[in-house]
Amino acid sequence: MRSIKITKNPFLLFALFLLLYIVLVLILPTHGSAGDENRYLMFSEHLLHGFYSWPAPNIDIGDGPGYPILIMPFLALNLPLIFITLLNAILYYLSIILLFKSLQQIVSFRITLICCLFWACFFNSYENMTLILPETFTAFLISLLLFNVLVAFDTKNSKRSKKYTYFSGFTIGFIVLTKIIFGYVLLCLLVGCGLLWLMNRKAINYKRVVFILLIAFTTVSPYLFYTYHLTGRIFYWGTSGGNNLYWMSTPIESEYGSWLQIPAPGSDSVTLKKNNHNAESGGLINLKNRIQYTPEYQDSIKSRHQKDYEEINKYKGVEMDDAYKRIAINNIKSHPIKFIQNCISNIGRILFNYPYSYKLQNPGTLLRFPLNGVIVVLMLFCIIPTFKNWKKIIFSIRFMLFFALLYLGGSIFASAETRMFTVIVPMLLIWIAFVIQKSIKINIGW
């Protein structure tokens, strides 16, 4: 039987998934204390009181203000935390709709449907959906960017294209505010595309992409002015970079570059607090289980990093971030091969959340392999057709591919997890779908 027209309405087509996400959030209510949830709630409370970070020397800008801004109304109205995670369910559903509308512009309905069903069933995302964390919002923004960019570079309707050029810039800016690692992506693209445009001033696409990036930069400028006011440093995105780089640079053979807890000033050991919500409420959805460390964890951290602790704990805020970076750079210079090994391990963590230092093996890790493994295989398949037909690929796809690769490439050098990969999956699916559409014929019938 032929598919009827209404089945091509994405809002109806994926409505059952919205119901699934809502049920998932309702049966796994958040307590606001799992992982980094309390940090985002704290930053949102700060914004409600007219500031973001504590002043010097206790400056804390480890996370961008994008997600705290989003959840501010819920805190201002004193709504239960479940309303925030219900918003996550809606945002993820909307990310599917936006991916569908983006793919519709460039590939067949069949490939569009397959890709959107893949994203709708991407259960690696579900663990973050039930928590007050920015990953679901970031994935929504990435999907929104896909749609905006594809329309912005559509020459058939110049008036509509111009409007979505502004939308694209603002969306990139808000992605940066939500995940500050994208700030480095923005700067790299702005410099690179700016140079390409200067070398070829008649290239309309380069001119448009530079305009988009300038709008994005304008969007994040208030945040950069704020960090400059706090720190006196230009393009200072946050205070968390040194910490991540420190663990990535570890020269210890039994450590693989994954982030580990450092003792607070005045403490002589690490105290691991079991979070019952994080450990028990997720079931199969809770794939991370980062609290399950081997028994020698505390002793190893204390004995092997004590000297660094004593140096780092002399400082606070930006100065502490600098101390982390100084030690990390010395480690990299002294042990470059080990740093490269840690980067390779980081690729494994980004894709499959493995390996971790001092972490007990967990069957939940196996759940990472099917979906992320499919994406990796398809990415490898698409590399050769992409290089062979580079000029035939529409400019918007090439731009988004560079955006994704710069983000993933930068993530390799800072201690990362698979949630960093999850947020960029819609952008990778756009590229994969386009190459498959042009390269092979799909027939799922007999």
Side-chain angles (χ1 to χ4, degrees), residues 92 95-96 99-100 102-103 106-107 111-122 142-143 146 150 371-372 374-376 378-379 382 397 400-401 404 421-437:
Y92 199 84
S95 75
I96 304 170
L99 179 61
F100 183 95
S102 301
L103 286 165
I106 57 173
V107 297
I111 293 178
T112 296
L113 182 60
I114 292 172
C115 289
C116 289
L117 285 174
F118 182 87
W119 178 239
C121 298
F122 198 77
I142 291 292
S143 300
L146 299 178
L150 284 168
L371 295 178
N372 284 5
V374 167
I375 296 177
V376 171
L378 290 174
M379 288 173 65
C382 290
I397 300 292
M400 289 184 285
L401 180 58
F421 178 75
T422 299
V423 301
I424 207 71
V425 165
M427 195 166 281
L428 297 175
L429 288 176
I430 283 279
W431 165 53
I432 291 169
F434 182 82
V435 174
I436 288 177
Q437 171 80 25

Side-chain angles (χ1 to χ4, degrees), residues 25-93:
V25 166
L26 291 176
I27 65 175
L28 298 173
T30 182
H31 299 165
S33 57
D36 293 330
E37 284 186 301
N38 58 345
R39 285 181 56 79
Y40 291 103
L41 291 170
M42 177 192 72
F43 283 129
S44 191
E45 290 282 2
H46 285 183
L47 288 171
L48 288 173
H49 289 87
F51 70 102
Y52 190 64
S53 168
W54 301 110
N58 298 312
I59 295 172
D60 181 5
I61 43 178
D63 304 291
Y67 189 63
I69 290 172
L70 177 72
I71 65 176
M72 275 176 61
F74 298 92
L75 300 187
L77 296 172
N78 290 316
L79 295 175
L81 297 180
I82 191 70
F83 281 86
I84 299 177
T85 49
L86 282 171
L87 175 64
N88 283 346
I90 295 170
L91 289 174
Y92 199 84
Y93 167 71

Side-chain angles (χ1 to χ4, degrees), residues 118 122-124 287 347-355 361-377 418 421:
F118 182 87
F122 198 77
F123 53 77
N124 291 352
L287 303 179
I347 295 174
R349 282 189 295 276
I350 290 171
L351 295 176
F352 306 113
N353 241 36
Y354 179 86
Q361 296 186 55
N362 191 294
T365 303
L366 295 174
L367 297 175
R368 304 285 184 185
F369 283 84
L371 295 178
N372 284 5
V374 167
I375 296 177
V376 171
V377 170
T418 194
F421 178 75

